[in-house]
Amino acid sequence: PPPPSGSSSPATSQSLELPPTDAKLLGSDGKSLLNIRCSDWRDQRGSFAAGKQKEYYAKCMSQDCVQSLESGSETPGCRFLDANGFCYAYNSAQTWCSQNVGNSYCNDGGENWAQKPLGNVEAGGETHWMPHSNVKIYNGDSPTGETFSCQCMKHCACTSSKCQCVDPNQTPIGEGSEYQKQISKKIAENSEKGAECSCSCGGSLS
């Protein structure tokens, strides 16, 4: 999927400067350094059956969602994305992009995607990271024409039948009705789920 709209930097001012190695945006192979399930999907999707592509994408979205909840200089969260819209996994990459807004490698979700100092959300506030929609299914290197979308439950852990969340009134983010069954029941309140995310893509739960 394309990176989210709402970038704070106009395309006309983008810099093509290659990020330094120690920023850890890119690996030695030139590929973006991402959370493991996101890189698995990127590198192996063509060999995965459709169901496995959805499974890995749900795990990828869950890892990016968890990163988006983080804050502080050591784990600043997820504001800056690669060309596929995935979070750069390393804090050094997020920090470098925050100091080089407008660089072509730093797709900006927006200031409200991260807590301070990476973004403008106050400490403990809700960030605006969103899971992807209209994700293509691949057969080898070619899209099949089939797509799926993802939803996530922030601060929650969910099974196929129920969710435990910090907020018993938690609602899903993203397009679709992935959690219709779980939220039709009473959500169990659990204060220990604050740093967790459950994500589901095309009916496949992370």
Side-chain angles (χ1 to χ4, degrees):
S5 58
S7 172
S8 62
S9 53
T12 52
S13 67
Q14 282 203 332
S15 162
L16 299 177
E17 176 193 353
L18 193 66
T21 304
D22 60 3
K24 295 186 178 179
L25 274 76
L26 308 175
S28 58
D29 57 2
K31 294 181 179 180
S32 305
L33 294 173
L34 308 171
N35 287 311
I36 185 63
R37 294 307 174 210
C38 299
S39 58
D40 285 344
W41 178 87
R42 176 195 63 197
D43 297 338
Q44 303 177 56
R45 64 191 180 193
S47 64
F48 287 167
K52 193 169 184 179
Q53 290 181 49
K54 295 174 183 177
E55 174 192 347
Y56 271 69
Y57 215 93
K59 291 177 178 178
C60 163
M61 289 292 94
S62 180
Q63 289 181 331
D64 275 8
C65 179
V66 166
Q67 184 177 335
S68 79
L69 303 178
E70 296 173 347
S71 63
S73 58
E74 294 301 313
T75 53
C78 172
R79 172 179 170 181
F80 295 98
L81 317 163
D82 80 337
N84 286 313
F86 298 133
C87 303
Y88 284 113
Y90 285 93
N91 63 317
S92 54
Q94 294 289 333
T95 301
W96 187 86
C97 282
S98 71
Q99 297 164 351
N100 293 272
V101 175
N103 183 278
S104 61
Y105 288 91
C106 301
N107 296 285
D108 189 356
E111 292 184 335
N112 63 1
W113 271 42
Q115 296 180 42
K116 294 178 178 179
L118 187 64
N120 65 5
V121 178
E122 295 295 334
E126 199 62 55
T127 56
H128 287 225
W129 175 90
M130 291 290 285
H132 297 171
S133 59
N134 298 315
V135 181
K136 296 175 181 177
I137 294 285
Y138 284 83
N139 181 9
D141 293 330
S142 303
T144 63
E146 181 186 353
T147 62
F148 61 90
S149 293
C150 303
Q151 284 192 311
C152 295
M153 293 281 284
K154 290 184 175 182
H155 314 295
C156 297
C158 300
T159 67
S160 60
S161 60
K162 61 184 179 181
C163 290
Q164 296 183 47
C165 304
V166 173
D167 180 0
N169 298 308
Q170 185 71 39
T171 56
I173 58 170
E175 295 183 11
S177 54
E178 298 281 321
Y179 288 92
Q180 189 169 0
K181 182 177 181 180
Q182 292 94 327
I183 64 176
S184 67
K185 304 175 182 178
K186 182 178 176 62
I187 293 175
E189 186 173 351
N190 188 330
S191 61
E192 297 181 355
K193 303 302 179 184
E196 297 184 36
C197 285
S198 171
C199 295
S200 183
C201 298
S204 183
L205 191 67
S206 62

